[in-house]
Amino acid sequence: KNEALNNVLRPLRDYVNGVAQGDEDIVLSSGFEASKVPSPVGPMPQVINLLATGGNGDGSVKLRWKSVYGSKNYVVEQSQDDGTFVPVMYPSAANFLIPDLEIGKFYWFRVAANGAAGLGPFSDSYKALAS
């Protein structure tokens, strides 16, 4: 009885996983219960599509980027001159608010994905005006 049901559900599961291409939101919206997907063992790819915008007048910068499949978290680095970067945050999501910056000052940011095999390469740096 259980095996017959599994024979019906496996192809549906494989179809949903194929269509979702690692996007957890699509998997969860399918109605299937999601199980933990193992992290890739190989090196993490470079973070792409980093975007930084000024905050809401509170001295912050909003960062977002395309999430990297298999990342456990990210390393966000900040620079005041696009030369010397220092780690400032370790978010698990592909967006983050950097607080406590000097309003009206430019900052540069870059992000790298951290996974089972370690830290991937950093994104290109992105300049943003704290506001």
Side-chain angles (χ1 to χ4, degrees), residues 53-55 60-61 103-107 127-131:
T53 56
S60 63
V61 169
I103 294 174
K105 185 173 182 179
F106 282 101
Y107 294 87
K127 182 179 177 181
L129 182 65
S131 60

Side-chain angles (χ1 to χ4, degrees), residues 64-81:
R64 73 182 159 151
W65 54 91
K66 184 173 182 187
S67 64
V68 175
Y69 173 71
S71 64
K72 293 181 179 185
N73 66 349
Y74 298 91
V75 176
V76 176
E77 290 189 340
Q78 172 184 314
S79 172
Q80 294 185 16
D81 60 7

Side-chain angles (χ1 to χ4, degrees), residues 19-122:
V19 169
Q21 296 180 349
D23 188 327
E24 292 178 24
D25 292 333
I26 293 173
V27 172
L28 293 173
S29 69
S30 72
F32 282 93
E33 284 191 28
S35 61
K36 184 171 171 90
V37 177
S39 295
V41 176
M44 299 303 295
Q46 184 178 27
V47 169
I48 59 172
N49 298 340
L50 175 62
L51 182 65
T53 56
N56 298 321
D58 57 357
S60 63
V61 169
K62 297 174 190 174
L63 301 176
R64 73 182 159 151
W65 54 91
K66 184 173 182 187
S67 64
V68 175
Y69 173 71
S71 64
K72 293 181 179 185
N73 66 349
Y74 298 91
V75 176
V76 176
E77 290 189 340
Q78 172 184 314
S79 172
Q80 294 185 16
D81 60 7
D82 198 23
T84 305
F85 283 88
V86 294
V88 291
M89 300 287 175
Y90 302 90
S92 57
N95 59 67
F96 205 76
L97 181 72
I98 306 292
D100 303 323
L101 300 172
E102 186 179 329
I103 294 174
K105 185 173 182 179
F106 282 101
Y107 294 87
W108 286 261
F109 299 93
R110 66 184 189 177
V111 180
N114 187 30
L119 195 62
F122 278 93

